[in-house]
Amino acid sequence: MPTFLAIAVNIPQISGVFHYHLPPELEGRVSAGHLVEVPFGKQTVQGVVLHSVAEPEVPQTRPVLALLDLQPALTPAQIALAIALAESTLSPLAAIIGLMLPPGLGQQADVQYSVISDQLSVTSERAAVSTQEHLLKLLQTRGALRGRQIDAALPHVNWRAAAQSLVKRGVLAAQPVLPPPSVQPKFVRTAQLAVPPEVAEDALPTLGRAGTPALARRQAMLRCLIREADVVDVTWVYAESGGKRDDLYALADRGLVTLGESEAWRDPLAQMDFVPAEPPQLTRDQQAVWDAIQPALRRSCAGEAVPPFLLHGVTGSGKTEIYLRAVEEVIALGKQAIVLVPEIALTPQTVRRFVSRFPGRVGLVHSRLSPGERYDTWRRARAGLLSVIVGPRSALFTPSPNLGLIVVDECHDDSYYQSEPPFYHAREAAVMYARLAGAACLLGSATPDIVSFFRAETPGVSQRPGVRYQYSSLPARILAHRQAVQAQIARLGLESHYRALDAQAEMMDLPPVNVVDMRLELKGGNRSIFSTALQHALGAALDRGQQAILFLNRRGAATFVFCRDCGHTLKCPNCDLPLTLHIEKLQVGKLKVEGSDQPSTSSQPSTFNLLCHYCGYQRKMPAKCPECGSAQIRQFGTGTEKVEAEVQALFPQAHTLRWDYETTRQKGAHEIILSHFSNHRADVLVGTQMIAKGLDLPLVTLVGVVLADVGLSLPDYRAAERTFNILTQVAGRAGRSPLGGQVILQTFQPEHYVIQAAARHDYEGFYRQELEYRRQLGYPPFGRLVRLEYRHADASRAEAAAQGMAAQLRGWIAAEDRRATTLIGPAPCFFARVADQHRWQIILRGPNPVSLLRGRALGEWRVEVEPVSLL
């Protein structure tokens, strides 16, 4: 009797599990977690084996076609996580499993289109004909293409309906295909001495004609191999000796050298410089936290379930050292750890600290790596060759056969939420994964999100849904051990701003925050984007040879462009949103890293481009208004590019760097910018939210928040929380050394409770007030949310679909007598049209709205459980 298997097929829209049987040649070779090829309808698709089944659900099962990898692609804990995450987020199981396969290995079935007739007859709809003509021209020019290749060539075009019409009329042929995995292990050619060294020495004069270049090259090559006892990469031999491939083959033909091939790991950390570091002695507060966490880690590794830890520590309080101790503990107990950071920007700094503590045992995972680097890191982790994986949310899904700990640093950050299908929050997934894998979970933040703090802070947690967190705090900012502090103070000739924390460390209060009312600045005649106080503080910091950070959570040089004669605003034709002005300047890749003390500046003329930050549409800045022809077209608003330009105008001697999306699109750009600023090759760093997270820059004594109000008035229940968090985080970049520091916070709403709480570094006060507002409105943590969004190119069809779904939801609520569940909407989204798609949304609010939707067909609706934004 054959073995029957339950397999999740790799088709994202398919949420079911299907039963297959193993053919005789695969019996005993396939088990849970294996990646296989199976037939599905007329297609051949990939699938992952979930488990065996005693009796299949169908009378006739189809056979598994092939085993794609001898080792399981998913661990048992990952399979359990995929099932649980799909259930809790209402996502297709295949889409969740796809998160766990490295790019290039997991392949989805596709359709390949090719031209079989050039005859295209005209139909009644001109728009349809235009799309068909574009598609036909593309295929005639480039040949047969798969669906995803056409998606890339014709973005934002609904070409599939046109393709189906052309297939029916015999113009195109459509063939189901399954692309093979696009990543493979990397192998390199190797060489090794095949004879004793003395025999090789005797052969040196006989390797060619005397006095010829070939003899010299071969002798140099053989001497290199005499010095190397082990197998070496032939590229090293070529570089070291100046020899060529033919010379190496000549040595092999003489029996002096053995040629071979070996696998080479593509390790993104192979070239990282680091200094091995010993753990410092803990402060009193750190020791108290560690005394609570260490026994729980030991119990967890022994098989006992432990609750997640919420480590609430102010900026600079030493949370990372607790993470390092926790990782060290689980490694000593024979386990592996995953450490999540919210942004790729933080990865280099975090990785260096972990590599210094655990050299040779750390793997790096993020989307900017090459597919080969991610594939090799995935395989090394799966084989247990790596003890620690560091990276943003995607690193959570790296296979760890013996997982003992998951750390989520800056756990409040919205970057942990995936805002495209499949929707999930990495913080919640980490808590779930740790529970399923029998591991510990450690969440850390200076500003925990409201829901997490509520779970840890409120007594009687068992009376309401949610997971109880164990709370620990680090209330004091520390600098370093006393000896290091005193040495730095003596070298700089300073009076220490720090005071004794205990016998081994010194501490300091969080930096003072000066709130500047920009309304008064305007009344006083100051039209600059910088207040008088910020200008003076910036000048003083530069005079002292110190550094400053200027924060504004807006990109570009101007946030909108309009005509002063007719009032026309230049908008994106696809999104109905104002275009942002960008001034094209020197890119990060052109900064001088070697042989220069300062970043270079561009002598090329600037170009002015208008860009949509939502769909990527761009155009040149017009000289005249496209509506009325007037030349009175002006730019308004402020972005990071304008801030940088203002600094350069006010302080020409200052060297600036900008850290935002535009300057970090190249691979390695984050590390280049951080390296330049850390080494004082720039005086002022201007940036968006990237600079607010976790950076430790001791020479920064001034943080200026150019406009604290950005995002505060958005119609989103988390707008206040988001603003408070980012203001508190960016303020924490100042005063992290004996130099001290200050924060200047510019605002048009100085009386707002968020601004006041951020100025006092008062998390507790903000939390209490925000929690009361949430209680009154029934928002999380006092209720749960599900957001349904519908998109369509036709506005009336989008609205009709939203009204129809709302009526259906009301019927379901009434039929199940869910009196505590309410419906908000339907209504257009705040960003009502993006990428030429009209957007409508419905919000379900109640004790358990997910259960209302589970098992129901929702068609093309996008469903987000506990969304981080309602915009």
Side-chain angles (χ1 to χ4, degrees), residues 725-791:
N725 287 349
I726 201 162
L727 293 179
T728 303
Q729 293 285 338
V730 75
R733 300 314 109 207
R736 299 172 77 99
S737 78
L739 297 170
Q742 64 171 318
V743 180
I744 295 178
L745 195 156
Q746 300 182 162
T747 175
F748 286 91
Q749 304 178 68
E751 68 286 344
H752 198 288
Y753 75 98
V754 168
I755 303 297
Q756 291 295 316
R760 298 190 305 267
H761 302 285
D762 184 10
Y763 176 85
E764 188 80 16
F766 166 76
Y767 169 77
R768 295 297 172 197
Q769 189 160 357
E770 183 66 16
L771 194 67
E772 182 55 34
Y773 291 150
R774 301 274 185 95
R775 188 191 309 273
Q776 294 171 12
L777 296 171
Y779 281 119
F782 301 104
R784 303 191 65 188
L785 301 180
V786 173
R787 176 176 178 267
L788 296 94
E789 181 189 331
Y790 188 80
R791 300 180 178 185

Side-chain angles (χ1 to χ4, degrees), residues 611-844:
L611 177 67
C612 176
H613 289 168
Y614 294 89
C615 75
Y617 169 84
Q618 60 180 320
R619 58 163 295 176
K620 295 293 184 184
M621 174 73 181
K624 295 182 179 181
C625 173
E627 190 74 13
C628 71
S630 169
Q632 295 298 313
I633 190 163
R634 295 291 184 270
Q635 308 93 38
F636 292 87
T638 301
T640 48
E641 291 179 20
K642 185 173 182 179
V643 173
E644 183 182 29
E646 288 285 317
V647 172
Q648 292 169 345
L650 287 170
F651 305 99
Q653 78 282 8
H655 295 276
T656 63
L657 282 174
R658 202 177 80 246
W659 198 342
D660 56 21
Y661 176 77
E662 276 68 36
T663 63
T664 56
R665 284 181 287 185
Q666 299 178 22
K667 184 178 180 180
H670 293 287
E671 193 162 8
I672 292 173
I673 294 174
L674 181 58
S675 173
H676 273 72
F677 197 63
S678 299
N679 292 309
H680 207 171
R681 294 188 177 185
D683 307 302
V684 181
L685 179 63
V686 178
T688 56
Q689 61 183 0
M690 294 177 180
I691 65 174
K693 303 170 185 177
L695 300 178
D696 191 357
L697 302 164
L699 285 179
V700 172
T701 59
L702 172 66
V703 167
V705 179
V706 178
L707 186 59
D709 312 330
V710 172
L712 188 55
S713 300
L714 289 172
D716 184 14
Y717 82 100
R718 293 191 65 247
E721 179 183 1
R722 229 174 347 250
T723 303
F724 174 82
N725 287 349
I726 201 162
L727 293 179
T728 303
Q729 293 285 338
V730 75
R733 300 314 109 207
R736 299 172 77 99
S737 78
L739 297 170
Q742 64 171 318
V743 180
I744 295 178
L745 195 156
Q746 300 182 162
T747 175
F748 286 91
Q749 304 178 68
E751 68 286 344
H752 198 288
Y753 75 98
V754 168
I755 303 297
Q756 291 295 316
R760 298 190 305 267
H761 302 285
D762 184 10
Y763 176 85
E764 188 80 16
F766 166 76
Y767 169 77
R768 295 297 172 197
Q769 189 160 357
E770 183 66 16
L771 194 67
E772 182 55 34
Y773 291 150
R774 301 274 185 95
R775 188 191 309 273
Q776 294 171 12
L777 296 171
Y779 281 119
F782 301 104
R784 303 191 65 188
L785 301 180
V786 173
R787 176 176 178 267
L788 296 94
E789 181 189 331
Y790 188 80
R791 300 180 178 185
H792 201 278
D794 184 277
S796 59
R797 288 185 62 178
E799 180 178 2
Q803 296 292 352
M805 176 58 75
Q808 196 168 33
L809 289 169
R810 292 188 190 100
W812 293 340
I813 291 172
E816 298 183 15
D817 195 25
R818 293 178 178 248
R819 300 179 185 181
T821 301
T822 58
L823 199 78
I824 304 173
C829 299
F830 180 75
F831 302 113
R833 182 167 167 255
V834 175
D836 207 25
Q837 296 287 301
H838 296 271
R839 306 166 68 232
W840 279 70
Q841 70 178 10
I842 301 170
I843 308 298
L844 280 173

Side-chain angles (χ1 to χ4, degrees), residues 10 39 96 103 249 301 329 425 451 454 568 613 743 773:
N10 193 5
I96 300 296
Y249 285 167
C301 290
E329 183 73 21
H425 200 301
V451 173
F454 184 71
H568 174 71
H613 289 168
V743 180
Y773 291 150

Side-chain angles (χ1 to χ4, degrees), residues 153 217 221 223 230 234 514 627 645 667 713 821 860:
R217 292 195 308 269
M221 186 173 282
R223 289 190 178 104
D230 296 325
V234 297
N514 176 16
E627 190 74 13
K667 184 178 180 180
S713 300
T821 301
E860 298 179 1

